[in-house]
Amino acid sequence: MDGKPATEGVTRIVTPPGRLDLEHAPRVTIGGVTAYTPGQAAEETGFSLDTLRYYERIGLLEPIERNAAGQRRFSDGDIGWLGMVRCLRDTGMPIAEMLRFAELTRAGEHTISDRIALLEAHDQAVEDKIADLRRQQGAIKRKVQFYKDVLAIPDGLCEREGEHVS
Amino acid sequence: MDGKPATEGVTRIVTPPGRLDLEHAPRVTIGGVTAYTPGQAAEETGFSLDTLRYYERIGLLEPIERNAAGQRRFSDGDIGWLGMVRCLRDTGMPIAEMLRFAELTRAGEHTISDRIALLEAHDQAVEDKIADLRRQQGAIKRKVQFYKDVLAIPDGLCEREGEHVS
DNA sequence: GGTTGCGCTGGAGTGCACTCCACCGTGCAG
DNA sequence: CTGCACGGTGGAGTGCACTCCAGCGCAACC
């Protein structure tokens, strides 16, 4: 049942040597370019199918190639771009800004300095966020210590429950 | 506990007959306890008035004291608790979990070890998040460097735009 | 031929965390 | 007395980022 889906003029199956996982990774190259089904793209990138479609709808992905049956075939380039998207998303960049970045990227080489500016600004934002988290984390740790101190006090003494955050 | 020379904002120990010095920090102590108007509480904590009311509605704050006219007067304790809330919120704790923490806190001393557990779990979550941010930040920095390298290539050579994320 | 699996579409719905609104009350300044 | 700032309420609305759904197509397998 494996073989190759006889659609779309398949040339060969790309499987890592040593792994004969025919069930998963029926990844297929067309003219030397690897293509991913939506399911594979989802698994590869960690985005849900719906999210991938959503991203395409809003233009965060450029229109994905289709096979004869109208089904999406994600390219390596798409997967790579999705990796970038995940990275930006997971560091808290809002979709609107990712969209801006996507548009710059599509606009061509002359936007590279803009892209650098955008990413450097975001990098700084991440830096700030980390610093903030560290600071707040300190407060949490102090609170934990406060509780531990309370627990350490001999039972029945000193019923004070005071400072919430130090 | 008396005779406090007020630099800005007069604080009276006994309930003042009327309003005085309304401009800044008209914070008032009644029986030694400082009270904050909603506006002051908002300014002090950085939450909006609506958010403060919202937090009270959902039970993240216990019912705030009211004056004769039915207006809220936040206590120092409330402000302290709000500091804790801000800390947890800003480190990404969802409201549902803050609510759980609030309930534990209200339930009394016997929940302290639960509270410690909750906070330590959250502390770990923050730690993980920071590590993740650092990792992703690395990718962003590499991408920036990639772009800078592209810019450094003599004009017109090597039009490759490949790897999205390294 | 029927069922299963995967994918398609447009549009509606969800969950979270607020945020806004209309309308009302209170109290002091002018 | 009037106006204004501030605050009250219940309930509706917002923005974001998905997520779900009905109804359909296509290919494979039993």
Side-chain angles (χ1 to χ4, degrees), chain B residues 19 48 50-51 54-55 57 69 71 89 94-95:
Chain B
R19 276 291 186 96
S48 75
D50 270 317
T51 298
Y54 166 67
Y55 282 172
R57 259 210 313 278
Q71 301 187 326
R89 194 200 75 157
I95 279 187

Side-chain angles (χ1 to χ4, degrees), chain A residues 13-147:
Chain A
I13 296 177
V14 174
T15 31
R19 284 192 72 196
L20 289 181
D21 195 358
L22 303 176
E23 285 294 309
H24 304 97
R27 219 157 288 154
V28 154
T29 66
I30 314 166
V33 179
T34 308
Y36 301 76
T37 66
Q40 288 161 359
E43 197 178 337
E44 204 73 26
T45 62
F47 291 117
S48 76
L49 291 167
D50 269 316
T51 299
L52 290 175
R53 286 192 274 256
Y54 166 67
Y55 282 172
E56 184 181 353
R57 260 210 313 279
I58 64 170
L60 190 51
L61 270 57
E62 55 198 298
I64 302 296
E65 301 262 311
R66 305 300 181 105
N67 70 5
Q71 299 186 328
R72 290 173 181 81
R73 293 301 165 221
F74 292 80
S75 70
D76 278 324
D78 296 327
I79 301 297
W81 171 249
L82 282 166
M84 188 74 215
V85 168
R86 167 156 293 285
C87 179
L88 297 177
R89 194 200 77 155
D90 288 357
T91 48
M93 184 181 284
I95 281 188
E97 204 176 340
M98 290 198 278
L99 227 37
R100 213 179 98 65
F101 183 62
E103 273 150 24
L104 287 176
T105 300
R106 261 169 250 150
E109 298 252 322
H110 66 282
T111 65
I112 284 189
S113 46
D114 290 331
R115 287 182 248 170
I116 290 175
L118 191 152
L119 289 186
E120 284 188 331
H122 184 58
D123 173 48
Q124 187 54 54
V126 173
E127 195 67 43
D128 294 350
K129 179 176 251 179
I130 289 173
D132 222 69
L133 284 175
R134 275 271 174 251
R135 211 170 40 71
Q136 309 272 41
Q137 191 190 32
I140 293 167
K141 282 180 190 298
R142 281 193 297 281
K143 183 71 173 175
V144 168
Q145 195 49 53
F146 168 78
Y147 280 141

Side-chain angles (χ1 to χ4, degrees), chain B residues 2-90:
Chain B
D2 196 84
K4 208 179 174 186
T7 6
E8 56 172 85
V10 177
T11 39
R12 289 284 169 85
I13 296 309
V14 191
T15 318
R19 276 291 186 96
L20 42 116
D21 195 345
L22 301 174
E23 270 317 284
H24 235 264
R27 219 158 287 155
V28 156
T29 67
I30 308 169
V33 179
T34 308
Y36 301 75
T37 66
Q40 287 161 0
E43 196 179 338
E44 204 75 26
T45 62
F47 291 117
S48 75
L49 291 167
D50 270 317
T51 298
L52 290 175
R53 286 192 274 255
Y54 166 67
Y55 282 172
E56 185 182 352
R57 259 210 313 278
I58 64 171
L60 190 52
L61 270 56
E62 54 197 300
I64 301 296
E65 302 261 312
R66 306 301 183 105
N67 68 5
Q71 301 187 326
R72 290 172 181 81
R73 294 301 161 217
F74 292 79
S75 71
D76 278 325
D78 296 327
I79 302 297
W81 171 249
L82 282 165
M84 188 76 216
V85 168
R86 166 156 295 284
C87 178
L88 296 177
R89 194 200 75 157
D90 287 358

Side-chain angles (χ1 to χ4, degrees), chain B residues 91-132:
Chain B
T91 48
M93 184 181 284
I95 279 187
E97 204 176 340
M98 289 197 279
L99 227 37
R100 213 179 97 65
F101 183 63
E103 274 150 22
L104 287 176
T105 300
R106 261 169 250 150
E109 298 252 320
H110 65 283
T111 65
I112 286 189
S113 48
D114 291 332
R115 287 182 248 169
I116 290 174
L118 191 151
L119 290 186
E120 283 188 333
H122 184 58
D123 174 49
Q124 187 55 53
V126 173
E127 195 67 44
D128 294 351
K129 178 175 249 178
I130 289 173
D132 221 71

